[in-house]
Amino acid sequence: VQLLESGGGWVQPGGSLRLSCATSGFPFSYATINWARQAPGKGGKGLEWVAGMNAGGVTAVYADSVRGRFTISRNNAKNEAYLDMNNLQPEDSGMYYCAKESFFATYSEDYYPDYRGQGTQVIVSS
C-alpha cells in the first residue's frame, strides 16, 4: 500500500492550495480516503482528521474546523484523491496526510490511520 501526498507549500492567510494523493497497491475504488493533519509541535500524538470521502465518491464529510473551506474529491480512474483548501488560516498549518480506510467514518478524537503517506507540509503565514 502506497500513498504519496503532494501540493503543500507556503501560502498567505486567505490563500488556497490543492493537495494531491497518488496511490497504488490496493483497490482504490473500494477504499475510503481521508485527509488528516498534524500541527507543528504535536508529533507523537494522533492526527486531526480533516475530511473523508467514501469509495464511490458520492459522500464527503468534514471536520467542523474546515467545513465550508476545504473540499475533498477523488478520481477513481487515476487512483488519486485531492483536497482543495481555500481561505487558509495560520491554524491550518501542519503536515497533511492522506489515509486509506476500509470503513467510512468520521473521527472526533485523535485519528490513527492504518495506512497513510509521508505527508506534505502546509505553512500559512504572512
Side-chain angles (χ1 to χ4, degrees), residues 12-97:
Q12 292 185 331
S16 300
L17 285 174
R18 187 182 219 211
L19 306 184
S20 297
C21 175
T23 74
S24 62
F26 65 95
F28 181 80
S29 61
Y30 289 90
T32 288
I33 294 296
N34 290 324
W35 285 94
R37 65 189 181 188
Q38 190 163 57
K42 292 192 175 182
K45 299 183 179 180
L47 306 180
E48 176 192 5
W49 173 83
V50 170
M53 178 162 271
N54 69 338
V58 174
T59 303
V61 288
Y62 300 92
D64 290 343
S65 58
V66 307
R67 188 176 294 113
R69 300 187 298 122
F70 290 13
T71 302
I72 186 173
S73 60
R74 63 191 293 164
N75 185 327
N76 284 356
K78 293 185 176 181
N79 294 343
E80 293 181 352
Y82 313 96
L83 186 67
D84 288 294
M85 307 186 295
N86 296 313
N87 191 22
L88 283 160
Q89 301 300 317
E91 55 266 32
D92 295 316
S93 297
M95 189 69 80
Y96 281 71
Y97 302 90

Side-chain angles (χ1 to χ4, degrees), residues 97-119:
Y97 302 90
C98 64
K100 161 197 174 300
E101 297 289 352
S102 299
F103 302 101
F104 183 58
T106 60
Y107 302 83
S108 58
E109 301 297 329
D110 287 348
Y111 172 49
Y112 297 90
D114 289 336
Y115 297 99
R116 63 171 173 85
Q118 293 299 307

